[in-house]
């Protein structure tokens, strides 16, 4: 039966609309409860979704990482359909894929999915339940499988090209042995895999129950209607944007291997009810590990920016994205060859997203925001635990300020637009797990760009190192700080300061690998702020005074940027 010919009543439609997202949210919560590594259960480096039998995105959890679900899970399923064929997916099959030629992201990002079979005979393929998790280590030349100096994908770990982890309801022991013997942290990784597996199986069962309740034909008709409605709503919003071709450019400081700037240039074309993002003049792929593939890179960043600009209130699904087109030749930074290094694939993403938004400033002056801090601001410590000598690898990603918008100061500190709801791992937990202590954690004064609406603030976080270790750091956008819009000023860029044994003058770092630290060293992470919106002098004097009293801006900044003199007692 044609799914568009099946009649569906509006009540059933709404039940299905909310149920498909509710199921993914339930599995999201279950993974956080059952995972073994803090990178999953605290930082939440994963995302949950459901795709159609053809690999189209149908639903995703509301708190998952956007760049995981934007197309990575659909691409994994489409590759599975090409490898196995629709008829070779059976009840109880579970497939994993992290292959760079498919996913176009670093090898840690491993999609696990299982077919959802419903109907009276339990043989009607209605879709796939999928979860993309960051596996904490999958081999390669560096602990954690991410080497800042890697120059090809083979230096970054084990590739799994669409293979069955489970077949017809039974685990495949050989695959488990391969994975377990290609990680430096087998206990943590295998525990995370079990959480991912449990999520896939429970999510599958929930969707089977939903489809069987209404019947596969009604269920498919509901999904088709949902996608069509999302498409119609998105097209209507695009029609409200003036037709034209809009451009913007920015750059990254380097690829981590060479010192050359990486140009980011985009063109956004609005024509009727379609939006095209043209990345033809994007940087070519680079020697360093910040490359990504077409689907995991270019399409992903275009979809995240499109979701913000056009489809803010619509769910992220294939219907919402139908009016979005992408022009991206092969061999570019975001459409790199499968053999390119991709360990830090998402480093360019926040800047690309910011640049797409910036391009539409002339067409949508009331919708655009100042740039957000737009860099990983990541810090990683590697060493051995005192007493036991056990290896540890701690990633602590920086959160920073987001750009201001019309009528609202910038938010933050949050992770980037590419990360979604990933969180700061609680300081108390880190101190319990790793040999360092926090001495300071506060908002970074003056880091937000000045404007009628001020950019969001970054933070200052200081670690006291308690045992020798090595540090990795990755900060960018130093030469291209988070710009303001509509007359707003740029926010501050981030940096890392290392003080040896209490020294007054710190060593300032932006990118570092295998940087030696000793007990007593102090590491200060200072994240960037967001750009401002509107002329700073238009900010009300009382609002400026409150910013000074609350410590968001200094008295000197109030005078310099806003023309407001604040006395020592806080009066203007």
């Amino acid at each position: 039966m044609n799914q568009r010919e099946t009649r569906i009543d509006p009540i059933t439609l709404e039940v299905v609309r909310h149920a498909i997202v509710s199921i993914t949210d339930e599995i999201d919560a279950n993974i956080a409860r059952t995972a073994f590594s803090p990178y999953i259960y605290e930082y939440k480096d994963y995302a949950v979704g459901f795709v159609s039998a053809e690999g189209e995105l149908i639903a995703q959890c509301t708190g998952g990482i956007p760049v995981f679900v934007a197309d990575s899970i659909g691409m994994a399923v489409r590759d599975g359909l090409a490898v196995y064929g629709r008829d070779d997916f059976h009840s109880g099959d579970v497939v994993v894929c992290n292959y760079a030629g498919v996913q176009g992201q670093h090898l840690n990002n491993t999609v696990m999915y299982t077919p959802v079979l419903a109907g009276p005979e339990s043989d009607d393929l209605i879709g796939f339940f999928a979860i993309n998790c960051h596996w904490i280590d999958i081999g390669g030349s560096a602990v954690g499988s991410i080497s800042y100096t890697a120059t090809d994908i083979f230096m970054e770990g084990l590739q799994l090209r669409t293979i069955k982890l489970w077949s017809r309801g039974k685990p495949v022991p050989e695959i488990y042995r391969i994975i377990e013997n290609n990680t430096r942290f087998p206990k943590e990784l295998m525990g995370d895999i079990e959480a991912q597996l449990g999520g896939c199986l429970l999510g599958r069962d929930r969707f089977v129950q939903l489809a069987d309740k209404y019947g596969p034909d009604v269920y498919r008709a509901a999904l088709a209607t949902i996608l069509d409605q999302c498409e119609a709503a998105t097209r209507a919003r695009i029609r409200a944007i003036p037709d034209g071709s809009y451009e913007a450019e920015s750059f990254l400081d380097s690829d981590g291997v060479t010192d050359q700037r990486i140009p980011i240039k985009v063109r956004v074309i609005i024509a009727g009810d379609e939006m095209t993002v043209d990345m033809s003049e994007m940087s070519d792929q680079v020697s360093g590990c910040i490359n990504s593939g077409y689907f995991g890179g270019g399409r992903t960043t275009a979809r995240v920016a499109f979701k913000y600009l056009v489809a803010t209130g619509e769910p992220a699904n294939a219907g919402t994205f139908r009016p979005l087109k992408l022009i991206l030749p092969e061999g570019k930074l975001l459409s790199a060859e499968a053999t390119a290094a991709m360990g830090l694939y998402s480093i360019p993403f926040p800047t690309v997203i910011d640049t797409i938004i910036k391009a539409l400033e002339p067409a949508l002056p009331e919708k655009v925001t100042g740039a957000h801090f737009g860099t990983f601001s990541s810090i990683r410590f590697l060493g051995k635990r005192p007493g036991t000598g056990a290896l540890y690898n701690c990633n602590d990603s920086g959160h920073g300020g987001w750009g201001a918008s019309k009528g609202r100061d910038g938010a933050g500190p949050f992770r980037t637009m590419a990360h979604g709801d990933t969180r700061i791992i609680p300081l108390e937990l880190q101190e319990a797990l790793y040999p360092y202590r926090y001495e300071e954690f506060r908002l970074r004064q003056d880091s937000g760009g000045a404007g009628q609406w001020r950019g969001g603030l970054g933070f200052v976080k200081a670690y006291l190192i308690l045992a020798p270790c090595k540090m990795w750091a990755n900060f960018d956008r130093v030469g291209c700080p988070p710009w303001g819009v509509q007359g707003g000023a740029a926010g501050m860029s981030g940096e890392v300061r290392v003080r040896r044994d209490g020294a007054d003058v710190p060593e300032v770092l932006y990118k570092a690998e295998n940087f030696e630290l000793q007990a007593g060293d102090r590491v200060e992470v200072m994240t960037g702020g967001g750009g401002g919106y509107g002329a700073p002098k238009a900010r009300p004097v009382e609002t400026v005074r409150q910013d000074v009293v609350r410590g968001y801006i200094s008295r000197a900044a109030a005078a310099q940027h806003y023309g407001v003199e604040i006395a020592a007692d806080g009066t203007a």
Side-chain angles (χ1 to χ4, degrees):
M1 184 181 296
N2 188 312
Q3 58 194 26
R4 284 180 168 78
E5 294 176 355
T6 301
R7 296 182 62 84
I8 180 168
D9 67 85
I11 302 300
T12 300
L13 177 63
E14 291 308 307
V15 170
V16 173
R17 188 195 308 275
H18 291 280
I20 58 178
V21 176
S22 177
I23 293 169
T24 60
D25 284 346
E26 176 190 359
I27 304 309
D28 179 333
N30 279 359
I31 292 173
R33 288 192 308 106
T34 57
F36 275 46
S37 66
Y39 218 59
I40 302 298
Y41 66 75
E42 289 289 353
Y43 182 66
K44 297 194 70 176
D45 200 345
Y46 63 90
V48 180
F50 178 76
V51 299
S52 71
E54 293 72 40
E56 280 193 315
L57 178 62
I58 300 297
Q60 69 175 44
C61 61
T62 52
I65 293 182
V67 299
F68 276 11
V69 191
D71 207 43
S72 68
I73 64 171
M75 190 60 197
V77 169
R78 293 194 294 275
D79 190 63
L81 290 167
V83 170
Y84 292 115
R86 188 181 179 115
D87 294 335
D88 200 17
F89 280 106
H90 307 284
S91 177
D93 286 354
V94 178
V95 180
V96 291
C97 180
N98 74 341
Y99 177 53
V102 172
Q103 302 301 105
Q105 300 180 352
H106 65 200
L107 301 182
N108 303 75
N109 293 352
T110 304
V111 176
M112 182 185 294
Y113 61 92
T114 186
V116 180
L117 300 162
E121 305 298 327
S122 297
D123 60 357
D124 192 347
L125 181 64
I126 62 169
F128 296 85
F129 197 85
I131 301 171
N132 191 345
C133 274
H134 178 105
W135 287 8
I136 58 173
D137 183 277
I138 194 163
S141 62
V143 176
S145 307
I146 299 173
S147 169
Y148 292 6
T149 54
T151 54
D152 65 45
I153 198 70
F154 305 106
M155 300 171 69
E156 297 179 336
L158 178 69
Q159 296 196 67
L160 304 168
R161 168 79 186 272
T162 303
I163 58 176
K164 291 187 178 182
L165 185 69
W166 281 51
S167 179
R168 298 177 185 265
K170 295 183 178 181
V172 182
E174 292 83 0
I175 304 303
Y176 274 93
R177 285 202 299 273
I178 289 172
I179 295 170
E180 187 172 9
N181 288 280
N182 278 277
T183 179
R184 298 170 176 87
F185 304 101
K187 179 180 177 180
E188 292 88 345
L189 177 57
M190 303 313 287
D192 286 347
I193 288 173
E194 289 304 295
Q196 191 176 8
L197 173 67
C200 279
L201 299 182
L202 180 57
R204 173 201 64 190
D205 293 345
R206 291 285 191 263
F207 271 92
V208 169
Q209 292 167 4
L210 181 65
D212 284 345
K213 180 177 181 179
Y214 299 104
D217 289 335
V218 171
Y219 170 79
R220 286 195 184 91
L223 297 188
T225 302
I226 291 168
L227 298 187
D228 288 346
Q229 289 176 343
C230 290
E231 177 185 3
T234 305
R235 290 189 183 277
R237 290 189 177 92
I238 297 174
R239 283 194 293 269
I241 304 173
D243 283 1
S245 179
Y246 307 94
E247 299 181 8
E249 56 185 306
S250 58
F251 62 87
L252 299 175
D253 297 329
S254 73
D255 67 353
V257 174
T258 71
D259 293 328
Q260 295 180 339
R261 287 180 172 179
I262 311 299
I264 305 293
K265 187 171 183 178
V266 299
R267 177 182 289 107
V268 180
I269 303 162
I270 303 296
D273 62 358
E274 289 191 348
M275 173 174 159
T276 301
V277 177
D278 184 350
M279 298 183 181
S280 300
E281 297 185 63
M282 181 72 61
S283 166
D284 291 335
Q285 70 180 61
V286 296
S287 299
C289 64
I290 63 172
N291 303 287
S292 56
Y294 177 95
F295 291 100
R299 177 176 283 188
T300 290
T301 53
R303 284 185 167 188
V304 174
F306 178 84
K307 182 72 169 61
Y308 169 77
L309 286 165
V310 175
T312 308
E314 297 302 317
N317 60 38
T320 294
F321 296 125
R322 282 174 188 163
L324 174 65
K325 311 300 177 186
L326 178 65
I327 300 173
L328 178 57
E330 294 181 358
K332 295 291 185 178
L333 181 68
L334 304 183
S335 59
E337 298 172 356
T339 57
M342 299 186 188
L344 291 171
Y345 75 100
S346 55
I347 289 290
F349 286 11
T351 302
V352 174
I353 294 166
D354 268 344
T355 308
I356 295 172
I357 294 172
K358 179 183 179 183
L360 282 173
E361 182 179 358
L364 296 171
E366 297 186 357
K367 179 70 172 178
V368 298
T369 65
H372 66 327
F373 73 112
T375 177
F376 261 38
S377 305
S378 59
I379 196 86
R380 181 158 68 99
F381 300 106
L382 169 67
K384 294 185 177 180
R385 301 179 190 277
T388 67
L391 185 69
Y392 73 87
N393 179 38
C394 170
N395 282 293
D396 194 15
S397 297
H399 292 50
W402 283 36
S405 57
K406 184 173 182 179
R408 183 171 297 178
D409 290 342
F414 293 136
R415 288 299 277 136
T416 75
M417 289 187 184
H419 289 85
D421 289 346
T422 48
R423 305 179 301 193
I424 295 175
I425 298 175
L427 275 58
E428 297 83 358
L429 177 62
Q430 293 188 57
E431 290 183 333
L433 292 175
Y434 309 114
Y436 54 74
R437 185 173 70 242
Y438 284 103
E439 293 196 321
E440 187 177 15
F441 187 30
R442 59 176 172 83
L443 294 175
R444 185 184 181 193
Q445 190 178 66
D446 293 336
S447 57
Q452 184 176 0
W453 291 282
R454 175 185 42 76
L457 303 181
F459 65 53
V460 176
K461 184 186 289 185
Y463 309 75
L464 178 65
I465 304 302
L466 303 179
C469 65
K470 296 180 180 180
M471 180 185 75
W472 278 251
N474 198 295
F475 283 67
D476 211 293
R477 294 274 290 275
V478 178
C480 183
W483 54 81
V485 294
Q486 299 295 293
M492 286 184 177
S493 299
E495 62 184 36
V496 178
R497 298 178 180 178
V498 178
R499 298 180 189 272
R500 300 287 191 184
D501 196 23
D504 292 333
V505 180
E507 182 176 355
V508 178
L509 304 171
Y510 299 103
K511 289 180 169 62
E513 182 170 19
N514 287 317
F515 187 88
E516 298 278 356
L517 294 171
Q518 301 298 323
D521 290 346
R522 177 182 164 100
V523 178
E524 300 166 357
V525 173
M526 312 181 77
T527 64
Y533 184 107
K537 297 296 177 63
R539 190 169 179 85
V541 171
E542 176 58 20
T543 306
V544 175
R545 188 192 71 80
Q546 290 176 357
D547 280 350
V548 172
V549 170
R550 293 166 179 167
Y552 299 159
I553 65 174
S554 63
R555 293 167 59 200
Q560 177 183 352
H561 299 298
Y562 297 99
V564 178
E565 297 288 344
I566 305 295
D569 63 359
T571 58

